[in-house]
């Protein structure tokens, strides 16, 4: 028996194992590159990109106007502003219209189809919000309080 034969056999097996591992590594790199180029959702992202949050794909929003919640909010605000019941009901209607329009504007900006909610709530989308706000006959102090409690109202109040 040749004493060098086991060494050559061991070297051949080691070379085969290293070649196999190198082949698997190259295959994984190629598939990762291909999936990144294709934009596959399951593809691992580079470490730099993991720090930033990924954008969430927009899903269809459920536009619902809850009159009971709007009335409760208007009664709370009406109590703070010192409004009588008739004006509280007008304030509830204004708040429903204001928040619905803000949600629809945001959805339109994101490219969503908002024709269904517009058809469901035409009475809230018909009137002029500035005119409805003037119809509440609020003082400057009351308007300031209302704008603090209602995000985005400042844009409506500005000329």
């Amino acid at each position: 028996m040749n004493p060098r034969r086991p060494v050559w056999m061991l070297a051949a097996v080691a070379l085969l194992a290293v070649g196999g591992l190198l082949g698997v590594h190259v295959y994984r790199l190629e598939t990762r590159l291909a999936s990144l180029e294709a934009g596959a959702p399951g593809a691992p992202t580079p470490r730099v990109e993991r720090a930033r949050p990924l954008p969430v794909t927009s899903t269809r929003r459920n536009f619902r106007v809850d009159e009971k919640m709007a009335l409760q909010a208007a009664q709370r605000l009406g109590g703070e502003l010192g409004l009588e019941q008739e004006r509280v009901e007008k304030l509830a209607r204004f708040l429903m219209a204001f928040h619905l329009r803000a949600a629809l504007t945001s959805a339109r900006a994101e490219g969503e189809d908002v024709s269904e909610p517009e058809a469901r709530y035409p009475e809230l989308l018909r009137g002029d919000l500035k005119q409805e706000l003037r119809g509440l006959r609020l003082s400057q102090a009351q308007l300031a309080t209302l704008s603090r409690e209602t995000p985005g109202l400042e844009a409506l109040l500005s000329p």
Side-chain angles (χ1 to χ4, degrees), residues 90-105 121-138 143 146 150-158:
K90 286 183 180 180
L91 178 62
R93 179 175 156 55
F94 169 79
L95 290 174
M96 286 188 298
F98 179 78
H99 289 297
L100 178 63
R101 289 178 188 193
L104 290 174
T105 302
Y121 303 109
E123 70 283 355
L124 293 176
L125 300 172
R126 237 181 255 133
D128 180 26
L129 284 177
K130 281 189 176 186
Q131 191 64 31
E132 288 184 33
L133 188 58
R134 284 188 207 115
L136 291 171
R137 300 181 319 270
L138 299 175
L143 282 173
L146 183 61
T150 310
L153 188 64
E154 302 87 26
L156 186 63
L157 296 174
S158 64

Side-chain angles (χ1 to χ4, degrees), residues 2 5 36 46 52 57 62 65 96 111 115 142 151-152 155:
N2 191 354
R5 187 170 186 172
L36 285 174
R52 288 188 275 147
T57 54
N62 184 14
V65 175
M96 286 188 298
S115 57
Q142 289 172 325

Side-chain angles (χ1 to χ4, degrees), residues 60-77:
R60 187 164 175 85
R61 296 180 195 181
N62 184 14
F63 293 98
R64 194 182 94 230
V65 175
D66 191 347
E67 293 179 42
K68 185 177 179 182
M69 291 288 289
L71 189 56
Q72 288 175 352
Q75 286 175 344
R76 181 185 60 79
L77 281 170

